[in-house]
Amino acid sequence: MTTDQTPKAHLGRNVRHFRLENNLSQEAFADLLGAPWSQKKVSQLENKADIEADVLEEIARVLNVSSEVIKEYSEAPVVNNIQNNYEGSNNQATVSNQQGPNYGCTFNPLDKLIEAHEEIKKLHAALLKEKDDKIVLLNRMLQEKR
């Protein structure tokens, strides 16, 4: 199998996924399926890689999805994405002598925090000066009215 092919879907796991998406326990799911289903039979079904077409249709009806959706569902792209992000050949942790994923960072986050704090102090001082100017103006206007 090449890396471009997706592995064949494990239908039992896919049924389990959609059952859990519907917040159904195995027992509640068995009740919805009706006789002769039981919790044990649902458990056995979820362990099967292949499921008969008529059974899959019945399950799909109860889960309100099509049987094709159950057949085609796969978690492989998610796993592949995680592997690409953390174990890929372009990961910076594997390059540059294992110095971590932030190697090559061009700024110090603490410096940026200090810069932001200094900017806040300047803005605060400007607001205080503006407030004082308005107070002086209002006092002058009150003096003129008297």
Side-chain angles (χ1 to χ4, degrees):
M1 179 169 76
T2 66
T3 56
D4 293 340
Q5 290 177 328
T6 55
K8 186 176 178 187
H10 188 286
L11 295 180
R13 283 191 213 126
N14 292 357
V15 168
R16 179 179 188 275
H17 169 80
F18 288 104
R19 175 181 60 79
L20 292 174
E21 283 287 315
N22 285 296
N23 295 319
L24 293 171
S25 66
Q26 288 180 338
E27 189 172 279
F29 186 51
D31 288 343
L32 289 173
L33 288 168
W37 287 93
S38 65
Q39 180 273 324
K40 182 178 180 180
K41 190 171 178 182
V42 169
S43 178
Q44 291 170 342
L45 175 89
E46 290 178 355
N47 287 320
K48 292 171 68 175
D50 289 318
I51 299 174
E52 298 80 23
D54 57 331
V55 175
L56 192 60
E57 287 294 329
E58 181 182 357
I59 289 167
R61 181 187 50 78
V62 170
L63 293 173
N64 294 320
V65 296
S66 72
S67 60
E68 292 303 314
V69 169
I70 295 173
K71 288 178 188 176
E72 293 174 8
Y73 177 77
S74 173
E75 294 178 343
V78 174
V79 173
N80 188 24
N81 189 23
I82 291 170
Q83 289 173 344
N84 286 342
N85 287 337
Y86 295 104
E87 298 172 6
S89 61
N90 291 330
N91 188 345
Q92 288 182 348
T94 60
V95 181
S96 305
N97 299 326
Q98 301 291 327
Q99 294 186 15
N102 290 328
Y103 181 80
C105 188
T106 59
F107 65 91
N108 184 344
L110 291 176
D111 289 341
K112 292 293 184 183
L113 180 65
I114 291 170
E115 287 175 18
H117 182 68
E118 292 299 322
E119 184 68 24
I120 289 170
K121 284 173 40 177
K122 287 179 189 175
L123 289 171
H124 188 258
L127 285 173
L128 288 176
K129 181 172 180 354
E130 187 177 325
K131 180 189 85 163
D132 290 341
D133 291 345
K134 285 184 180 179
I135 289 173
V136 168
L137 179 64
L138 287 172
N139 282 336
R140 192 177 312 141
M141 288 172 68
L142 278 173
Q143 292 300 327
E144 289 174 4
K145 281 199 170 187
R146 289 185 187 167

PDB file of all heavy atoms in Angstrom, residues 54-70:
ATOM      1  N   ASP A  54     -27.304  -4.861   4.167  1.00  0.00           N
ATOM      2  CA  ASP A  54     -28.643  -4.640   4.711  1.00  0.00           C
ATOM      3  C   ASP A  54     -28.589  -4.181   6.169  1.00  0.00           C
ATOM      4  O   ASP A  54     -29.372  -3.330   6.598  1.00  0.00           O
ATOM      5  CB  ASP A  54     -29.510  -5.894   4.550  1.00  0.00           C
ATOM      6  CG  ASP A  54     -28.907  -7.124   5.213  1.00  0.00           C
ATOM      7  OD1 ASP A  54     -27.661  -7.205   5.301  1.00  0.00           O
ATOM      8  OD2 ASP A  54     -29.686  -8.019   5.629  1.00  0.00           O
ATOM      9  N   VAL A  55     -27.654  -4.744   6.927  1.00  0.00           N
ATOM     10  CA  VAL A  55     -27.484  -4.322   8.325  1.00  0.00           C
ATOM     11  C   VAL A  55     -26.999  -2.879   8.369  1.00  0.00           C
ATOM     12  O   VAL A  55     -27.474  -2.067   9.182  1.00  0.00           O
ATOM     13  CB  VAL A  55     -26.499  -5.267   9.061  1.00  0.00           C
ATOM     14  CG1 VAL A  55     -26.209  -4.769  10.468  1.00  0.00           C
ATOM     15  CG2 VAL A  55     -27.047  -6.685   9.089  1.00  0.00           C
ATOM     16  N   LEU A  56     -26.067  -2.529   7.497  1.00  0.00           N
ATOM     17  CA  LEU A  56     -25.538  -1.171   7.456  1.00  0.00           C
ATOM     18  C   LEU A  56     -26.635  -0.168   7.099  1.00  0.00           C
ATOM     19  O   LEU A  56     -26.692   0.927   7.663  1.00  0.00           O
ATOM     20  CB  LEU A  56     -24.384  -1.094   6.452  1.00  0.00           C
ATOM     21  CG  LEU A  56     -23.549   0.182   6.502  1.00  0.00           C
ATOM     22  CD1 LEU A  56     -22.905   0.355   7.865  1.00  0.00           C
ATOM     23  CD2 LEU A  56     -22.488   0.151   5.423  1.00  0.00           C
ATOM     24  N   GLU A  57     -27.529  -0.551   6.206  1.00  0.00           N
ATOM     25  CA  GLU A  57     -28.654   0.325   5.839  1.00  0.00           C
ATOM     26  C   GLU A  57     -29.560   0.575   7.045  1.00  0.00           C
ATOM     27  O   GLU A  57     -30.009   1.691   7.283  1.00  0.00           O
ATOM     28  CB  GLU A  57     -29.468  -0.282   4.687  1.00  0.00           C
ATOM     29  CG  GLU A  57     -28.793  -0.215   3.355  1.00  0.00           C
ATOM     30  CD  GLU A  57     -28.616   1.206   2.835  1.00  0.00           C
ATOM     31  OE1 GLU A  57     -29.465   2.088   3.137  1.00  0.00           O
ATOM     32  OE2 GLU A  57     -27.628   1.441   2.129  1.00  0.00           O
ATOM     33  N   GLU A  58     -29.831  -0.486   7.806  1.00  0.00           N
ATOM     34  CA  GLU A  58     -30.677  -0.363   9.001  1.00  0.00           C
ATOM     35  C   GLU A  58     -30.012   0.558  10.028  1.00  0.00           C
ATOM     36  O   GLU A  58     -30.654   1.428  10.615  1.00  0.00           O
ATOM     37  CB  GLU A  58     -30.903  -1.756   9.594  1.00  0.00           C
ATOM     38  CG  GLU A  58     -31.780  -1.765  10.823  1.00  0.00           C
ATOM     39  CD  GLU A  58     -31.932  -3.170  11.419  1.00  0.00           C
ATOM     40  OE1 GLU A  58     -31.395  -4.135  10.839  1.00  0.00           O
ATOM     41  OE2 GLU A  58     -32.576  -3.270  12.473  1.00  0.00           O
ATOM     42  N   ILE A  59     -28.722   0.380  10.219  1.00  0.00           N
ATOM     43  CA  ILE A  59     -27.970   1.211  11.170  1.00  0.00           C
ATOM     44  C   ILE A  59     -27.968   2.665  10.713  1.00  0.00           C
ATOM     45  O   ILE A  59     -28.188   3.578  11.511  1.00  0.00           O
ATOM     46  CB  ILE A  59     -26.525   0.671  11.310  1.00  0.00           C
ATOM     47  CG1 ILE A  59     -26.564  -0.652  12.066  1.00  0.00           C
ATOM     48  CG2 ILE A  59     -25.617   1.663  11.990  1.00  0.00           C
ATOM     49  CD1 ILE A  59     -25.281  -1.438  12.001  1.00  0.00           C
ATOM     50  N   ALA A  60     -27.735   2.880   9.425  1.00  0.00           N
ATOM     51  CA  ALA A  60     -27.701   4.235   8.877  1.00  0.00           C
ATOM     52  C   ALA A  60     -29.039   4.939   9.079  1.00  0.00           C
ATOM     53  O   ALA A  60     -29.089   6.127   9.407  1.00  0.00           O
ATOM     54  CB  ALA A  60     -27.334   4.185   7.407  1.00  0.00           C
ATOM     55  N   ARG A  61     -30.124   4.203   8.902  1.00  0.00           N
ATOM     56  CA  ARG A  61     -31.464   4.770   9.094  1.00  0.00           C
ATOM     57  C   ARG A  61     -31.641   5.256  10.531  1.00  0.00           C
ATOM     58  O   ARG A  61     -32.122   6.367  10.765  1.00  0.00           O
ATOM     59  CB  ARG A  61     -32.528   3.725   8.746  1.00  0.00           C
ATOM     60  CG  ARG A  61     -33.960   4.210   8.894  1.00  0.00           C
ATOM     61  CD  ARG A  61     -34.963   3.077   8.697  1.00  0.00           C
ATOM     62  NE  ARG A  61     -34.685   1.877   9.467  1.00  0.00           N
ATOM     63  CZ  ARG A  61     -34.945   1.724  10.775  1.00  0.00           C
ATOM     64  NH1 ARG A  61     -35.493   2.721  11.450  1.00  0.00           N
ATOM     65  NH2 ARG A  61     -34.682   0.593  11.397  1.00  0.00           N
ATOM     66  N   VAL A  62     -31.220   4.449  11.492  1.00  0.00           N
ATOM     67  CA  VAL A  62     -31.361   4.817  12.903  1.00  0.00           C
ATOM     68  C   VAL A  62     -30.463   6.002  13.260  1.00  0.00           C
ATOM     69  O   VAL A  62     -30.842   6.869  14.038  1.00  0.00           O
ATOM     70  CB  VAL A  62     -31.049   3.591  13.807  1.00  0.00           C
ATOM     71  CG1 VAL A  62     -30.957   3.990  15.259  1.00  0.00           C
ATOM     72  CG2 VAL A  62     -32.123   2.527  13.623  1.00  0.00           C
ATOM     73  N   LEU A  63     -29.274   6.064  12.661  1.00  0.00           N
ATOM     74  CA  LEU A  63     -28.326   7.137  12.962  1.00  0.00           C
ATOM     75  C   LEU A  63     -28.573   8.401  12.130  1.00  0.00           C
ATOM     76  O   LEU A  63     -27.866   9.396  12.292  1.00  0.00           O
ATOM     77  CB  LEU A  63     -26.892   6.647  12.727  1.00  0.00           C
ATOM     78  CG  LEU A  63     -26.407   5.552  13.680  1.00  0.00           C
ATOM     79  CD1 LEU A  63     -25.048   5.038  13.242  1.00  0.00           C
ATOM     80  CD2 LEU A  63     -26.359   6.067  15.110  1.00  0.00           C
ATOM     81  N   ASN A  64     -29.567   8.360  11.250  1.00  0.00           N
ATOM     82  CA  ASN A  64     -29.912   9.493  10.394  1.00  0.00           C
ATOM     83  C   ASN A  64     -28.764   9.938   9.500  1.00  0.00           C
ATOM     84  O   ASN A  64     -28.504  11.130   9.318  1.00  0.00           O
ATOM     85  CB  ASN A  64     -30.414  10.686  11.228  1.00  0.00           C
ATOM     86  CG  ASN A  64     -31.710  10.387  11.914  1.00  0.00           C
ATOM     87  OD1 ASN A  64     -32.585   9.751  11.342  1.00  0.00           O
ATOM     88  ND2 ASN A  64     -31.832  10.820  13.159  1.00  0.00           N
ATOM     89  N   VAL A  65     -28.024   8.985   8.962  1.00  0.00           N
ATOM     90  CA  VAL A  65     -26.981   9.241   7.968  1.00  0.00           C
ATOM     91  C   VAL A  65     -27.139   8.198   6.873  1.00  0.00           C
ATOM     92  O   VAL A  65     -27.825   7.205   7.055  1.00  0.00           O
ATOM     93  CB  VAL A  65     -25.547   9.169   8.564  1.00  0.00           C
ATOM     94  CG1 VAL A  65     -25.326  10.236   9.596  1.00  0.00           C
ATOM     95  CG2 VAL A  65     -25.252   7.805   9.141  1.00  0.00           C
ATOM     96  N   SER A  66     -26.491   8.420   5.757  1.00  0.00           N
ATOM     97  CA  SER A  66     -26.557   7.413   4.701  1.00  0.00           C
ATOM     98  C   SER A  66     -25.494   6.345   4.961  1.00  0.00           C
ATOM     99  O   SER A  66     -24.505   6.592   5.641  1.00  0.00           O
ATOM    100  CB  SER A  66     -26.336   8.053   3.330  1.00  0.00           C
ATOM    101  OG  SER A  66     -24.989   8.428   3.181  1.00  0.00           O
ATOM    102  N   SER A  67     -25.722   5.189   4.389  1.00  0.00           N
ATOM    103  CA  SER A  67     -24.741   4.114   4.558  1.00  0.00           C
ATOM    104  C   SER A  67     -23.425   4.494   3.888  1.00  0.00           C
ATOM    105  O   SER A  67     -22.354   4.089   4.330  1.00  0.00           O
ATOM    106  CB  SER A  67     -25.282   2.800   4.001  1.00  0.00           C
ATOM    107  OG  SER A  67     -25.558   2.933   2.620  1.00  0.00           O
ATOM    108  N   GLU A  68     -23.502   5.305   2.818  1.00  0.00           N
ATOM    109  CA  GLU A  68     -22.281   5.754   2.142  1.00  0.00           C
ATOM    110  C   GLU A  68     -21.430   6.622   3.069  1.00  0.00           C
ATOM    111  O   GLU A  68     -20.207   6.540   3.057  1.00  0.00           O
ATOM    112  CB  GLU A  68     -22.627   6.518   0.862  1.00  0.00           C
ATOM    113  CG  GLU A  68     -23.227   5.660  -0.220  1.00  0.00           C
ATOM    114  CD  GLU A  68     -22.317   4.495  -0.615  1.00  0.00           C
ATOM    115  OE1 GLU A  68     -21.109   4.704  -0.801  1.00  0.00           O
ATOM    116  OE2 GLU A  68     -22.833   3.366  -0.721  1.00  0.00           O
ATOM    117  N   VAL A  69     -22.064   7.454   3.867  1.00  0.00           N
ATOM    118  CA  VAL A  69     -21.326   8.303   4.806  1.00  0.00           C
ATOM    119  C   VAL A  69     -20.596   7.425   5.815  1.00  0.00           C
ATOM    120  O   VAL A  69     -19.429   7.668   6.135  1.00  0.00           O
ATOM    121  CB  VAL A  69     -22.279   9.290   5.519  1.00  0.00           C
ATOM    122  CG1 VAL A  69     -21.589   9.995   6.671  1.00  0.00           C
ATOM    123  CG2 VAL A  69     -22.820  10.306   4.532  1.00  0.00           C
ATOM    124  N   ILE A  70     -21.259   6.400   6.299  1.00  0.00           N
ATOM    125  CA  ILE A  70     -20.612   5.480   7.244  1.00  0.00           C
ATOM    126  C   ILE A  70     -19.448   4.771   6.572  1.00  0.00           C
ATOM    127  O   ILE A  70     -18.367   4.648   7.152  1.00  0.00           O
ATOM    128  CB  ILE A  70     -21.627   4.462   7.810  1.00  0.00           C
ATOM    129  CG1 ILE A  70     -22.684   5.184   8.644  1.00  0.00           C
ATOM    130  CG2 ILE A  70     -20.913   3.404   8.649  1.00  0.00           C
ATOM    131  CD1 ILE A  70     -23.816   4.309   9.121  1.00  0.00           C
TER     132      ILE A  70
END
